[in-house]
Amino acid sequence: MSTADGTVIGTTRVSGTAPVNQAFNIVLLAEGFQTGQQNAFNTAVSAFATALLGTAPFNDLAPAINIFRVNVSSTDAGADDPVSGGGTGASVRTYFDASFGGNGIRRLLVCNATTVLTVAAAQVPQFSLALLVVNSTIYGGSGGSVGTFSLAGGASEIAIHEAGHTAFRLADEYPYYAGGNETGHDHHPATEPQEPNVTINTTRATLKWGWAVAAATALPTMSNPNCASIDSRPSTVPGGTVGTFEGAHYYHCGAYRPEHDCKMRNLGVPFCRVCRQVIFNRIGPLATLNARARTPISVVSRYPEHLDVFDVASDGRTMTDWWDASTGWGGWFQLAGGIASPGGTGSPVTAISRYARHLDVFTVGTDNRVYSAWWDASGGWSNWFVLAGGLQVRPGSTVNVVSRYTGHLDVFTTAADGRIMSCWWDVSSGWSGWFHVSGGVAANGATVTAIARYPFHLDLFTVGTDNRVWSCWWDERSGWSTWFRIGNQAVRSDSAVNVVARHRDQLDLFTIASDQRIVSTWWNALGGWGSWFQVSGGAASPGSQVTAVARYSNQLDLFTVGTDNRIYSTWWHDPGGWAGWFNISGGIAAPGSTVIAISRITEHLDVFAVGSDSKTYSTWWDGRTGWAGWFQLSVS
Amino acid sequence: MSQESSPGQGPGSMRLIFEYDGDEIHLISRQLVDMALTGAQTPLEDHVGKVAEVRDASNKALASVPVTGMQTTAEVFPENPGDPIMRVALEHPQGAFTVVVPAPKAAASVALLDIVPASADREALPGPAGPPERRILGVFPLTEEGSTP
Ligand SMILES: [Zn+2]
Ligand SMILES: [Zn+2]
């Protein structure tokens, strides 16, 4: 009884067109099918593919899923069915040694997992999930590294539930260990389970699936009145309600599941909202992102070998992807269920890293209120929360943030009526309320940018209702200054003022004039404000911004989308002055989009843009190798 | 973009197949594989549960990937819809599992760890939980000399 009892015939892709190196690849292998019975296996695989791709969220993820069958002939048909497990005593010669009666239980259908994994890896090296289809009408299946199921009606549901464990690390949501009459399973231990779909926590603010819970839903949503037994009452809330339902993770009480029912609780029912999102976040990153083309991307480097990138999908989902030198790109996933406001160019997700193990992110929701969330290495992503008691802002507003020191954040945006608003967070006092900054009002579509040249000073910039650039500052000793106009340059009302400080006594400003010319001015502590000038004859695509990076105190790099929608850069170096604009690696951007850049190590730039196909792209420049080609940002 | 997409900066991946029998774990196969990985984590993140940790020659962690498929219990499913699913403890846990890990050039070994929150085994004790306990299940060299057949 071994691989001597059969032959691997070959492999066929039965579903999916995704590139095999960037897909969720499911491999089904034939067990106990003789040479002349392969069509029965093929039929079973087709039925499984239909069932899986008809199950949410796999239906929506089908473009990233490939299904393969590996035809294997066995000498005999069927599987062992030992008497010790209540079976017929059948003993057959098959390739993967499948047997009913594992652990003395007939329905527990086990196999030689080493052989299954070895054959799967040889046939489809990129496989994500291996399933063994056993040629028997006796009901059975099992999980683990290899899912098994027989041809009995409904047995393929076993494979989908077990994939929930093996491929997506979901917990069991059923409230018993051995059917409900067991002892020792009345109360869940007081340790939070690591899996994303069960919890001991019913506090709304910290609930791990809080993003999916409506404000009107009570928590806990259902409590078990008698912990000595399971709560078998029907749901007291409408189907599909996400909340906290007591009885989960093998315990009658003290652990909660997200919906009343879920495929991780019962076979034959759909996955709950939370399990669907977990599966989506595992497979979805294999796909590329269709971006909201004109919404600026944000990028943060928590440490030199790491990038966190934030973007908004065409349907408004707040998305993030990350790169690490040791793991490559992780792939796009939705950040805490967020949807960003679609007004104007669309609200971006802005981000800041106060220290290497922490991120703070900001956006404007579809209700045009300002939201924040955070990521911490110890706990992952928080839920989105309304910032500082709530502020109605202009649809599509940008929320900019500065951290003057590790324990402090200053946040800036424009209210619905154009007032320039700020709030702050301090580690010692938490969030302040919103306040109006020195009576300032911004032009429609303008953003407020801020910079901290040193920890006890802020400089703010915006475009006023007269379409001129205005500034004010805050200093710990003197508080907020009044707003003042910087020269008389007419600028586009929706132009962001990009500012960098090459050193603490220098500011360089870049923005777009009303005639699309790229203009700049500067301030330094010795000479005060300079006059506006056009940078190397450059002009930007209508709606596009200009982005500046200061790699050294005597080096500036600028990025923009030109009037021909090509992606351009130039630099300033002292000595030498301004270079001419050049097209980066042939790149063409979506009209009116914005190019952003970051320098996470010296002599290196990472650049991000939305292409003319609305996909996100990146390239890099390295001092030793120059500019690389553009690549689509997803997973690697 | 008019430009051809370049491959980006992926470090490559390696599929490992392990066999286990009780507490004994053997690496039986490793295979370089061209595939995108989702779910890998960086050394700065805190992990809980079983992970495969890729290490460099100085034993510094480079990346880790959650491991599933080492079973000590099994699920038994009802033939009749609506009847309960049951868990049973396996009399003799044994089998095989696979994990695909990032394979940066510096990768020298992979460690299988079971990271247990400090509070899990000491629920009755007062006071704050300490750092998670990192139980080493096995360390497997990825260099040619150290490979197992
Ligand atoms: Zn289960
Ligand atoms: Zn669920």
Side-chain angles (χ1 to χ4, degrees):
Chain A
M1 304 231 294
S2 69
T3 55
D5 298 321
T7 309
V8 177
I9 299 168
T11 297
T12 306
R13 189 190 298 217
V14 297
S15 173
T17 56
V20 72
N21 63 355
Q22 199 170 317
F24 189 79
N25 297 304
I26 302 173
V27 175
L28 296 105
L29 303 98
E31 165 65 339
F33 292 88
Q34 293 170 301
T35 307
Q37 298 174 320
Q38 295 298 312
N39 276 339
F41 168 67
N42 299 351
T43 302
V45 171
S46 296
F48 174 82
T50 302
L52 182 88
L53 297 175
T55 301
F58 298 105
N59 50 352
D60 291 331
L61 292 162
I65 298 173
N66 296 320
I67 301 177
F68 298 85
R69 62 172 154 83
V70 179
N71 287 86
V72 180
S73 67
S74 288
T75 306
D76 296 334
D80 292 351
D81 189 19
V83 173
S84 59
T88 61
S91 177
V92 292
R93 292 165 295 169
T94 60
Y95 197 85
F96 299 104
D97 297 340
S99 178
F100 291 96
N103 235 44
I105 301 163
R106 194 179 189 199
R107 285 167 288 158
L108 196 55
L109 177 56
V110 296
C111 66
N112 185 330
T114 304
T115 307
V116 176
L117 296 176
T118 304
V119 172
Q123 295 293 313
V124 184
Q126 298 91 344
F127 80 90
S128 312
L129 180 66
L131 300 172
L132 193 68
V133 184
V134 178
N135 183 20
S136 171
T137 54
I138 300 167
Y139 184 86
S142 67
S145 59
V146 175
T148 68
F149 63 98
S150 72
L151 301 183
S156 64
E157 279 284 304
I158 296 175
I160 300 176
H161 174 99
E162 291 297 344
H165 294 310
T166 307
F168 308 108
R169 302 196 298 282
L170 294 169
D172 284 316
E173 294 182 20
Y174 43 83
Y176 37 71
Y177 189 82
N181 297 320
E182 68 278 297
T183 55
H185 283 260
D186 291 0
H187 293 278
H188 191 280
T191 303
E192 175 67 11
Q194 58 173 298
E195 294 93 341
N197 62 323
V198 289
T199 189
I200 62 170
N201 175 26
T202 58
T203 304
R204 192 177 299 266
T206 52
L207 177 63
K208 53 193 173 190
W209 57 80
W211 56 267
V213 180
T217 302
L219 297 182
T221 314
M222 278 185 77
S223 297
N224 183 358
N226 177 12
C227 296
S229 65
I230 60 169
D231 184 354
S232 51
R233 293 175 298 165
S235 181
T236 56
V237 292
T241 300
V242 179
T244 49
F245 295 80
E246 191 165 30
H249 203 225
Y250 318 124
Y251 288 88
H252 311 162
C253 282
Y256 299 82
R257 58 192 194 272
E259 286 189 28
H260 190 267
D261 214 350
C262 173
K263 200 181 293 294
M264 296 314 290
R265 178 172 180 262
N266 266 320
L267 299 190
V269 304
F271 282 110
C272 73
R273 179 73 188 83
V274 171
C275 291
R276 293 201 305 271
Q277 189 67 39
V278 169
I279 295 167
F280 208 99
N281 280 348
R282 164 74 175 78
I283 299 179
L286 295 163
T288 54
L289 178 69
N290 282 311
R292 191 171 266 172
R294 292 182 60 204
T295 304
I297 299 167
S298 301
V299 60
V300 170
S301 179
R302 294 191 278 115
Y303 49 96
E305 303 81 22
H306 193 93
L307 293 167
D308 290 284
V309 183
F310 300 88
D311 201 1
V312 175
S314 55
D315 59 4
R317 286 175 300 135
T318 54
M319 306 295 289
T320 182
D321 193 356
W322 51 273
W323 174 86
D324 195 277
S326 59
T327 58
W329 288 99
W332 292 103
F333 62 93
Q334 188 180 10
L335 205 164
I339 307 283
S341 169
T345 58
S347 291
V349 178
T350 49
I352 197 162
S353 176
R354 294 185 284 114
Y355 49 98
R357 291 169 57 88
H358 195 88
L359 288 164
D360 293 285
V361 298
F362 302 85
T363 196
V364 174
T366 50
D367 58 358
N368 294 316
R369 294 199 294 172
V370 179
Y371 286 80
S372 180
W374 72 85
W375 177 89
D376 195 272
S378 61
W381 282 103
S382 77
N383 295 313
W384 288 103
F385 61 94
V386 173
L387 194 64
L391 172 71
Q392 283 287 325
V393 300
R394 283 178 172 151
S397 287
T398 296
V399 182
N400 275 319
V401 57
V402 172
S403 178
R404 295 187 279 115
Y405 51 92
T406 300
H408 196 89
L409 294 168
D410 291 286
V411 177
F412 302 93
T413 192
T414 51
D417 55 5
R419 287 177 303 142
I420 294 164
M421 304 296 289
S422 178
C423 67
W424 76 84
W425 174 88
D426 195 275
V427 67
S428 62
S429 56
W431 283 102
S432 77
W434 290 98
F435 63 95
H436 187 185
V437 180
S438 293
V441 177
N444 198 10
T447 58
V448 185
T449 48
I451 194 165
R453 292 184 281 120
Y454 48 94
F456 306 108
H457 190 90
L458 289 165
D459 293 286
L460 264 56
F461 302 91
T462 195
V463 176
T465 51
D466 60 352
N467 292 347
R468 301 298 190 274
V469 175
W470 290 73
S471 178
C472 78
W473 75 83
W474 174 90
D475 196 276
E476 191 178 52
R477 289 160 300 183
S478 55
W480 286 100
S481 78
T482 56
W483 288 91
F484 63 94
R485 206 175 72 189
I486 300 172
N488 195 30
Q489 174 69 52
V491 298
R492 232 174 45 203
S493 63
D494 64 350
S495 173
V497 181
N498 207 288
V499 57
V500 291
R502 295 185 274 119
H503 52 83
R504 63 173 273 167
D505 292 328
Q506 174 83 31
L507 292 168
D508 291 280
L509 271 56
F510 302 90
T511 194
I512 312 293
S514 49
D515 58 2
Q516 310 299 347
R517 287 179 307 129
I518 295 165
V519 292
S520 176
T521 188
W522 72 93
W523 172 90
N524 74 53
L526 294 176
W529 285 98
S531 50
W532 289 97
F533 65 97
Q534 185 184 14
V535 179
S536 293
S541 169
S544 295
Q545 311 290 358
V546 57
T547 301
V549 174
R551 288 192 283 121
Y552 302 102
S553 64
N554 65 339
Q555 171 84 32
L556 292 166
D557 294 279
L558 295 196
F559 303 89
T560 198
V561 177
T563 51
D564 58 359
N565 295 321
R566 290 178 179 273
I567 297 167
Y568 287 93
S569 179
T570 184
W571 71 86
W572 173 87
H573 191 84
D574 182 24
W578 285 101
W581 291 93
F582 63 95
N583 177 221
I584 299 176
S585 300
I588 301 177
S593 64
T594 291
V595 183
I596 62 147
I598 193 169
S599 180
R600 56 190 167 79
I601 48 176
T602 55
E603 296 301 307
H604 192 94
L605 289 162
D606 292 285
V607 180
F608 301 86
V610 179
S612 48
D613 56 1
S614 291
K615 303 282 190 186
T616 47
Y617 288 81
S618 181
T619 184
W620 71 89
W621 173 87
D622 194 276
R624 291 158 301 170
T625 54
W627 284 101
W630 292 95
F631 63 95
Q632 216 173 67
L633 209 60
S634 58
V635 63
S636 62
Chain B
M1 298 270 159
S2 60
Q3 174 79 28
E4 290 284 307
S5 290
S6 81
Q9 292 157 284
S13 304
M14 181 181 285
R15 178 184 295 284
L16 308 172
I17 300 176
F18 296 92
E19 261 183 354
Y20 65 99
D21 189 344
D23 291 336
E24 287 275 302
I25 304 176
H26 299 283
L27 175 61
I28 61 161
S29 160
R30 55 195 172 87
Q31 174 188 11
L32 285 172
V33 53
D34 168 26
M35 73 185 278
L37 270 185
T38 66
Q41 295 174 302
T42 66
L44 267 192
E45 292 172 64
D46 293 342
H47 318 282
V48 180
K50 292 192 176 76
V51 299
E53 183 176 271
V54 181
R55 297 173 169 181
D56 70 9
S58 66
N59 272 336
K60 182 167 134 312
L62 299 174
S64 63
V65 178
V67 169
T68 58
M70 276 183 83
Q71 304 277 102
T72 54
T73 64
E75 268 182 309
V76 183
F77 293 88
E79 192 161 359
N80 301 314
D83 286 354
I85 306 171
M86 289 199 239
R87 280 264 169 197
V88 293
L90 289 174
E91 292 151 7
H92 185 77
Q94 60 155 43
F97 62 94
T98 185
V99 59
V100 180
V101 296
K105 281 198 179 67
S109 67
V110 65
L112 291 177
L113 305 174
D114 191 4
I115 303 174
V116 184
S119 58
D121 288 345
R122 51 183 287 279
E123 281 151 30
L125 300 179
E133 186 193 342
R134 293 162 62 86
R135 297 174 186 160
I136 298 174
L137 307 178
V139 181
F140 306 90
L142 297 176
T143 50
E144 284 307 324
E145 311 83 79
S147 66
T148 36

